[in-house]
Amino acid sequence: MKMQYNKIGHSDLKISEVGLGAMSLVQGQDDTNSYIINHARELGINYLDTSDLYDKGKNEELIGRLLSGERDKWILASKVGNKWREDGSGWDWKPSKDYILKAVEDSLRRLKTDYLDLYQLHGGTIDDPFDEIVEAFEILVKQGKIRYYGISSIRPNVFLNYAEHSNIVSDMMQYSILDRRPEEYFSELSKRNISVLARGTVAQGLLIKKAAQKYLSYSVHDVLDIQKRINSIANDLNVSSLALALKYPLLHEPVACCVLGIRTKTQVNALDNVFQEMSTLNIDSYSPLFNVLPKEIKYQDHRK
């Protein structure tokens, strides 16, 4: 089964249904990182997501080296808004027009490219200078330095404001079988033709091989029960738990892509059969799970 591709919102970007989150790549592991990038591309993955925050910008430099001569084969995304302190002790939220216009130049230099396909505000609060942030992104679109812009936010009062009053094409949100909080807002985002890029789709590994532990409002016992159901479904349908974890978000409009962090050759090789397995799954495949999952799970804070 070939990779499936979806359009991001009202853009003309068509991205693979599974993308690569570059944050998981390890500095100094050149052979492994090259293998991951090359094999992901062989599998049809064309979306690569990074941020100026990761490794104090070194993650972008790493991607710049890895994509040398191959830039045009990727839909490349980065994020902006967090500024590292000079002493490296942490970062501060700096969502100003001036900072965004400067930060993009640094990201482009590190990534060794003259444009980004998608530039995302990396967070956000309701108190941010909304108009000047949007103005900054619109300037960058007009300058050709970015093709489109989006946001990475799980705060409803923030991402809904951008959905209603800006030209964002996407919102990157944590979304998985264990974290279904975004579903409450999917109809609103779909209505506005804004895609969701799902991160955390394997729930820190709890949906594949990691030992059960507390997660969000779930107890260890709850997680263990869900893990057992997932393993049972996987055995019954002859698919991997990874395929089940990745397919669930994609069955929900407006999810366009599951962004997966991959650190090792073994992890990227585990994708070899996943897309064929995913093609056999539909929402009914998850029926045995629905009696153990809470019927409704919502964001408690930052509601509109």
Side-chain angles (χ1 to χ4, degrees):
M1 181 71 184
K2 291 184 178 180
M3 175 72 71
Q4 300 299 301
Y5 296 87
N6 300 311
K7 197 166 77 158
I8 302 181
H10 51 83
S11 77
D12 62 359
L13 302 175
K14 293 196 74 174
I15 64 170
S16 49
E17 62 182 351
V18 173
L20 193 58
M23 183 174 69
S24 297
L25 300 177
V26 180
Q27 295 288 335
Q29 301 291 325
D30 293 350
D31 177 67
T32 297
N33 293 335
S34 293
Y35 182 88
I36 290 170
I37 291 289
N38 292 334
H39 194 55
R41 192 70 194 97
E42 289 168 357
L43 292 172
I45 292 175
N46 73 344
Y47 180 76
L48 186 56
D49 188 274
T50 182
S51 169
D52 60 3
L53 183 65
Y54 304 156
D55 290 335
K56 301 178 182 177
K58 291 181 180 177
N59 191 261
E60 287 184 327
E61 292 177 350
L62 174 62
I63 297 304
R65 294 193 301 272
L66 289 171
L67 298 194
S68 179
E70 303 283 321
R71 165 66 181 94
D72 61 343
K73 296 181 179 178
W74 291 89
I75 303 295
L76 184 59
S78 192
K79 309 184 196 74
V80 66
N82 297 285
K83 183 180 181 181
W84 279 97
R85 299 179 196 129
E86 292 297 328
D87 62 5
S89 63
W91 60 84
D92 299 305
W93 181 235
K94 293 284 186 182
S96 68
K97 174 183 172 182
D98 288 345
Y99 180 68
I100 292 170
L101 295 179
K102 177 185 180 302
V104 74
E105 300 294 345
D106 295 332
S107 287
L108 293 174
R109 173 180 50 78
R110 288 189 290 258
L111 288 162
K112 297 181 179 178
T113 184
D114 55 3
Y115 73 97
L116 288 168
D117 295 289
L118 180 65
Y119 203 31
Q120 302 154 100
L121 186 67
H122 201 173
T125 75
I126 201 63
D127 298 318
D128 292 341
F130 176 82
D131 290 340
E132 70 172 81
I133 291 171
V134 172
E135 182 186 2
F137 283 117
E138 292 289 348
I139 287 172
L140 293 176
V141 170
K142 289 177 182 176
Q143 291 177 341
K145 292 175 181 176
I146 66 173
R147 295 177 67 188
Y148 300 97
Y149 63 97
I151 192 170
S152 177
S153 173
I154 58 170
R155 295 185 175 191
N157 62 352
V158 173
F159 65 71
L160 289 178
N161 189 39
Y162 280 89
E164 293 170 18
H165 303 296
S166 79
N167 290 316
I168 63 166
V169 297
S170 62
D171 183 7
M172 178 171 280
M173 315 172 79
Q174 179 171 291
Y175 178 45
S176 72
I177 291 170
L178 285 178
D179 187 357
R180 293 162 23 251
R181 293 175 297 176
E183 289 179 3
E184 178 184 1
Y185 300 99
F186 280 0
S187 61
E188 179 69 17
L189 293 174
S190 293
K191 183 175 74 175
R192 298 184 181 280
N193 201 8
I194 294 167
S195 290
V196 168
L197 307 177
R199 61 175 177 83
T201 49
V202 297
Q204 299 175 1
L206 293 173
L207 295 177
I208 41 179
K209 293 181 179 178
K210 190 174 181 179
Q213 63 183 40
K214 289 179 67 175
Y215 187 81
L216 298 178
S217 60
Y218 296 97
S219 68
V220 175
H221 177 77
D222 293 334
V223 173
L224 187 60
D225 198 8
I226 291 168
Q227 287 177 329
K228 288 178 179 177
R229 298 290 179 109
I230 289 173
N231 289 335
S232 176
I233 295 171
N235 289 332
D236 290 346
L237 299 181
N238 195 29
V239 298
S240 64
S241 55
L242 178 59
L244 286 165
L246 293 176
K247 185 67 174 185
Y248 180 83
L250 292 163
L251 290 168
H252 297 78
E253 190 181 352
V255 178
C257 178
C258 290
V259 183
L260 186 64
I262 294 177
R263 188 177 296 265
T264 67
K265 294 179 181 180
T266 300
Q267 289 173 342
V268 74
N269 288 339
L271 296 176
D272 287 353
N273 300 314
V274 158
F275 304 114
Q276 172 60 40
E277 294 171 356
M278 287 168 62
S279 71
T280 68
L281 301 172
N282 56 49
I283 198 65
D284 293 333
S285 306
Y286 299 83
S287 295
L289 263 180
F290 294 145
N291 15 336
V292 296
L293 290 172
K295 284 188 170 43
E296 200 172 60
I297 176 170
K298 294 185 175 183
Y299 293 116
Q300 299 303 310
D301 302 318
H302 309 291
R303 298 183 65 85
K304 188 168 181 181

